Amino acid sequence: MITLYHYLILSAALFCIGLYGAVAKKNAIAVFMGIELMLNSVNINLIAFNHFLKPDILTGHTFAIFIIAVAASEVAVGLAIILSLYRHRKSTTVDDIDLLKW
């Protein structure tokens, strides 16, 4: 029997992996992948809490769909910025991206 505890452990593990990927990696694409993992762990939490607390109301699913839409737009804008910086700097390393400081 899978309980809420199992979903929370899975979500916490995914969030920790995503946090490590967002903080420790130098590549901008890997940072975005870490952020996506963190957002997906939040989606798992929302849907699990909705399923176990109020299964007849779909508020967790609705918030998860909004998070998916925000994540898709974040990836589209972020990848456009990374591609633009790669064309000018020939690097996707986060340390080399200081163009926005000027």
Side-chain angles (χ1 to χ4, degrees), residues 15 26-29 32 52 58-59 83 85-86 93-94 97:
F15 192 85
K26 299 287 184 183
N27 190 354
I29 304 296
F32 275 127
F52 285 102
L58 298 178
T59 54
L83 284 174
L85 289 171
Y86 180 76
T93 307
V94 178
I97 302 172

Side-chain angles (χ1 to χ4, degrees), residues 4 7-8 42-65:
L4 180 62
Y7 287 110
L8 293 179
V42 171
N43 285 340
I44 290 173
N45 266 339
L46 287 171
I47 293 174
F49 275 116
N50 185 37
H51 175 72
F52 285 102
L53 297 179
K54 300 272 187 178
D56 52 342
I57 302 172
L58 298 178
T59 54
H61 294 58
T62 306
F63 281 121
I65 289 172

Side-chain angles (χ1 to χ4, degrees), residues 1-8 48 52:
M1 180 78 180
I2 296 178
T3 63
L4 180 62
Y5 179 74
H6 293 95
Y7 287 110
L8 293 179
F52 285 102

